[in-house]
Amino acid sequence: MEKQERIILVTNDDGITAPGIRALIEAVRPLGKVVVVAPDSPQSGMGHAITIGVPLRLNQVNIFEDIEAWQCSGTPVDCVKLARDKILHRKPDICVSGINHGANHSINVIYSGTMSAAMEAAIEGIPSAGFSFLEYSYDADFSLPAKVAREVTERMLAANLPAGSLFNVNIPVVEEKDFRGLRLCRQADAKWVEEFDERRDPHGKKYYWLTGQFKNRDVGEDTDVWALENNYASMVPVQFDLTNYKLMKQLEESWKDL
């Protein structure tokens, strides 16, 4: 029997015209048949949101040479669901999401549309990874992140990964000569200390802009934040089972009457 061609699903949260997704497509193009399903507009910070109150639109577009591509009116998670059900009609061999403009390390993984798209694929049993570059400018140079994405994708395709395997990969802003390679990490204990900047519009009505500072409370040298600060690309294995097993075991002892 002839071996079936690998299918690589590519998605993102910055929108189908973002430079990062083009870099990701070019990185993984040699590894199999690439199919792109991505939002038709930026969806950063959407997390695992899905569209339930309005109909979804899905249109094929000719943006990437010789690559089947579809733009979706919904969220990154909607894109993965539609890709699986209406476009591919089978599980792809792998799903890669990104390359995101900006960090998705530590607590950011919860809010990230990039990672939620990859997580949705992992929930379906598809090995998946989300890629983020710690550069926010629109004209960022994605050559190093693309090389990292290629290496990670190759490793994932070659490995016998368990169903639902999911990785959060972040790439530092660093000269390629100073880049120290990939590093498997845990998620840092870090968070945003947020404030809302209160302003008034021309009519005198209040409105708010979310601001804040990122605070790392973790001194470990095995975290994603440490790796990125030391010129490594961080690679965190992520799970979507949110059960706190340590607390559960503790309560099984102290709450024996339950």
Side-chain angles (χ1 to χ4, degrees), residues 148 169-172 179 181-185 227-228 231-235:
V148 172
V169 182
N170 282 264
I171 302 101
F179 179 60
L182 272 169
R183 188 179 179 98
L184 277 172
C185 308
L228 292 160
N231 294 349
Y232 291 97
S234 63
M235 185 173 180

Side-chain angles (χ1 to χ4, degrees), residues 81-92:
K81 287 179 177 292
L82 281 167
R84 171 74 175 84
D85 188 53
K86 297 299 180 186
I87 296 172
L88 300 177
H89 305 293
R90 76 166 179 90
K91 289 182 183 180

Side-chain angles (χ1 to χ4, degrees), residues 27 33-34 44 70 75 90 139 168 183 198 209 236 238:
K33 175 180 170 56
V34 173
S44 295
W70 299 77
T75 68
R90 76 166 179 90
D139 59 351
N168 182 21
R183 188 179 179 98
E198 182 179 305
W209 279 109
V236 178
V238 178

Side-chain angles (χ1 to χ4, degrees), residues 145-159:
K147 289 179 181 178
V148 172
R150 171 71 176 267
E151 179 182 349
V152 170
T153 305
E154 284 181 327
R155 285 177 177 271
M156 290 178 67
L157 287 169

